[in-house]
């Protein structure tokens, strides 16, 4: 019968070796982690605020600097006239305190491997991205009809006060692209024999208009090529363009485009 021999000393050596290996790997992992570049404060970076206070952002930075290994680099006049920061007594994470201090302005900050914190104002391009809606291009469409519900081709659609416009097609439809519109932006609709219509766009993207006939203009004298006549007595095809319509015409508009839809029966 074989006897099983156990050596207590051998087990102790193996346990000690296992413990040494575990300790080595733990220290190695900690060393590698501590040398890894970070994009912010360490998890244990906390700041003690000893009393309720209202201080400048420079004093906030000094508080963080005194209680951590981080240093701040920024332009001397960067926080000139900057609002003060209200702090409550207690313990707060350094990153939260920094974000609170910079929350009332447009700033960005970067961490270096040497524990320097570079703070600078955000570029105008970055700031503009947040307000890009103000520069957004809008497309306004619609249909222009007469008081009988028939489409009016050739109606002059102008952005009031600007040299920007379009004409309605044979179905009375138009489309115009505008930028930087606001609640006061207005479109002007003009057509021979009809009253000028002015419509505020507001927040609408579809603006339909019904033109109202203007009978007061029927007594105007027009040149017909072989003499003069009043509009109501003229028997030929008459097209007319007012000086205002010429001034308000879209850039690059042709004479044919201005005359489109101006002639009766056209």
């Amino acid at each position: 019968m074989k006897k099983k021999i156990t050596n207590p000393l051998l087990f102790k050596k193996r346990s000690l070796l296992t413990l040494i290996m575990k300790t080595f790997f733990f220290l190695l992992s900690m060393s590698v982690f501590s040398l890894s570049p970070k994009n912010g404060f360490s998890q244990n970076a906390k700041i003690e605020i000893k009393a309720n206070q209202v201080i400048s952002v420079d004093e906030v930075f000094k508080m963080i600097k005194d209680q951590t290994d981080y240093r701040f680099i920024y332009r001397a006049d960067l926080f000139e006239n900057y609002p003060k920061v209200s702090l409550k007594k207690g313990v707060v994470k350094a990153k939260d305190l920094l974000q609170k201090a910079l929350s009332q302005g447009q700033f960005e900050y970067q961490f270096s491997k040497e524990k320097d914190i570079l703070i600078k104002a955000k570029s105008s391009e970055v700031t503009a991205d947040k307000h890009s809606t103000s520069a957004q291009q809008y497309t306004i469409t619609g249909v222009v009809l007469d008081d009988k519900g028939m489409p009016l081709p050739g109606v002059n659609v102008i952005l009031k006060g600007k040299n920007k416009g379009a004409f309605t097609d044979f179905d009375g439809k138009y489309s115009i692209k505008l930028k930087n519109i606001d609640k006061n932006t207005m479109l002007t609709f003009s057509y021979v024999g009809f009253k000028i219509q002015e419509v505020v766009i507001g927040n609408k993207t579809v603006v339909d208009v019904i033109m109202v006939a203007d009978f007061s203009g029927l007594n105007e004298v027009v040149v017909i090529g072989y003499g003069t006549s009043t509009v109501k007595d003229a028997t030929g095809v008459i097209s007319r363009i007012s000086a205002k319509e010429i001034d308000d015409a879209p850039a690059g508009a042709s004479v044919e485009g201005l005359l489109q839809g101006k002639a009766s029966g056209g």
Side-chain angles (χ1 to χ4, degrees):
M1 182 177 179
K2 295 183 179 180
K3 293 183 178 181
K4 189 175 182 181
I5 302 174
T6 58
N7 190 339
L9 183 59
L10 180 61
F11 282 113
K12 288 182 179 180
K13 288 183 178 180
R14 287 180 177 177
S15 298
L16 180 61
L17 180 61
T18 301
L19 179 61
I20 292 174
M21 291 179 65
K22 288 182 178 180
T23 303
F24 173 78
F25 283 116
F26 173 78
L27 293 176
L28 178 62
S29 300
M30 290 296 294
S31 176
V32 172
F33 179 79
S34 64
L35 292 176
S36 299
K38 298 178 182 178
N39 294 322
F41 294 103
S42 67
Q43 296 297 322
N44 297 322
K46 295 183 178 180
I47 306 299
E48 180 185 3
I49 302 173
K50 297 181 179 180
N52 295 343
Q53 53 192 302
V54 178
I55 59 178
S56 68
V57 68
D58 298 282
E59 291 174 310
V60 173
F61 294 159
K62 184 178 185 303
M63 183 183 296
I64 296 175
K65 177 178 177 296
D66 292 342
Q67 299 186 42
T68 66
D69 296 329
Y70 292 90
R71 299 171 299 177
F72 291 87
I73 302 173
Y74 56 93
R75 201 177 65 236
D77 62 343
L78 183 59
F79 297 100
E80 186 176 348
N81 300 321
Y82 188 77
K84 290 190 175 183
V85 184
S86 178
L87 302 179
K88 292 184 179 181
K89 180 180 178 180
V91 178
V92 62
K93 291 183 179 180
K95 64 177 182 179
D96 294 337
L97 181 57
L98 178 59
Q99 291 175 357
K100 179 179 177 64
L102 300 178
S103 63
Q104 301 185 65
Q106 298 292 335
F107 303 101
E108 58 185 0
Y109 52 90
Q110 298 174 339
F111 292 83
S112 71
K113 294 181 180 180
E114 291 75 22
K115 292 191 175 183
D116 291 324
I117 304 175
L118 174 63
I119 301 177
K120 58 183 180 179
K122 288 185 177 180
S123 64
S124 57
E125 294 180 357
V126 174
T127 304
D129 287 341
K130 293 187 176 182
H131 306 282
S132 59
T133 53
S134 62
Q136 184 176 350
Q137 181 168 280
Y138 295 84
T139 299
I140 310 298
T141 60
V143 178
V144 181
L145 307 174
D146 62 14
D147 50 6
K148 296 180 181 179
M150 298 299 294
L152 290 175
V155 176
N156 199 8
V157 185
I158 296 291
L159 176 63
K160 187 174 182 179
K162 302 290 183 181
N163 189 24
K164 176 76 174 179
F167 292 102
T168 56
D169 61 17
F170 288 102
D171 296 318
K173 298 179 180 179
Y174 72 92
S175 176
I176 181 171
K177 293 183 178 180
L178 305 175
K179 290 182 179 180
N180 301 326
I181 65 175
D182 55 35
K183 62 180 181 180
N184 298 318
T185 302
M186 185 178 294
L187 289 179
T188 300
F189 299 80
S190 59
Y191 193 72
V192 62
F194 291 84
K195 294 181 180 180
I196 295 176
Q197 300 270 18
E198 292 185 342
V199 181
V200 176
I201 296 175
N203 59 356
K204 296 178 289 187
T205 57
V206 177
V207 179
D208 296 331
V209 174
I210 297 178
M211 303 293 286
V212 179
D214 183 9
F215 297 104
S216 63
L218 295 180
N219 290 320
E220 294 179 6
V221 176
V222 293
V223 177
I224 57 176
Y226 46 86
T228 61
S229 176
T230 60
V231 173
K232 64 182 180 180
D233 295 330
T235 57
V237 175
I238 299 174
S239 297
R240 64 180 180 183
I241 305 173
S242 67
K244 185 178 184 303
E245 288 177 309
I246 295 175
D247 293 337
D248 292 340
S254 64
V255 175
E256 291 81 1
L258 292 172
L259 289 175
Q260 182 181 359
K262 301 293 184 181
S264 58

